[in-house]
Amino acid sequence: MFVKPASVERKWFVIDAEGKVLGRVAAKVASIVRGKEKAIFAPHQEMGDYVVIINADKVAITGRKAQQKMYYRHTGYVGGLKTSNFEKVVARHPTQPLEMAIKGMLPKGPLGRKLAKNAKIYAGTAHPHAAQNPTAIDL
């Protein structure tokens, strides 16, 4: 099924991530951004909605993941593997764990990179998308 992009109605939603579990928020956002909750879903098209996530720095994680969950990156040089745990990543970049979780749940390639831009993530409660009148979603 092919749907013309102009005929797709795209809505705006806002999610308050304070006290919510990281993976559950990411899974819900990935589903909305992908468009899986619509009857006209097609896996090869961008037809999902926009999601604004506030309080991303106050997202909850279970167990001892704050110390044990590791994030890896490579500098490109020999022996350049850098590791940091959840606490250090949140201290440096408060929104990065949520961004990485959502991006990991989206398809890889050009479509996934385009869909990842439809999730707007902010560390505090203020966001510049009030003009779109986003609907609040309670998880």
Side-chain angles (χ1 to χ4, degrees):
M1 181 168 121
F2 188 81
V3 179
K4 292 182 181 177
S7 66
V8 176
E9 182 185 341
R10 307 195 48 199
K11 298 178 183 172
W12 284 76
F13 296 102
V14 65
I15 294 177
D16 188 359
E18 184 174 2
K20 307 285 192 312
V21 180
L22 173 73
R24 292 176 189 254
V25 172
K28 184 69 173 176
V29 170
S31 177
I32 293 170
V33 167
R34 183 99 196 265
K36 286 194 150 199
E37 303 196 353
K38 294 185 175 186
I40 58 169
F41 172 71
H44 63 283
Q45 285 185 286
E46 178 191 15
M47 59 181 49
D49 298 317
Y50 295 96
V51 180
V52 178
I53 304 165
I54 57 174
N55 291 323
D57 55 341
K58 297 179 181 123
V59 72
I61 52 172
T62 58
R64 299 187 334 199
K65 292 188 190 103
Q67 295 82 28
Q68 292 179 344
K69 180 163 180 56
M70 302 302 285
Y71 290 94
Y72 301 96
R73 63 184 182 86
H74 201 280
T75 63
Y77 291 97
V78 176
L81 184 66
K82 304 291 182 187
T83 62
S84 56
N85 63 10
F86 182 84
E87 285 179 337
K88 289 181 184 176
V89 172
V90 168
R92 222 175 295 126
H93 305 286
T95 61
Q96 191 173 9
L98 199 53
E99 288 173 13
M100 292 173 70
I102 292 167
K103 198 176 284 191
M105 294 180 187
L106 292 174
K108 309 321 180 242
L111 179 63
R113 288 189 293 273
K114 192 173 183 183
L115 291 174
K117 293 177 184 172
N118 293 343
K120 318 293 185 186
I121 305 171
Y122 300 98
T125 56
H127 63 85
H129 305 287
Q132 282 77 20
N133 294 326
T135 307
I137 295 179
D138 190 32
L139 298 181

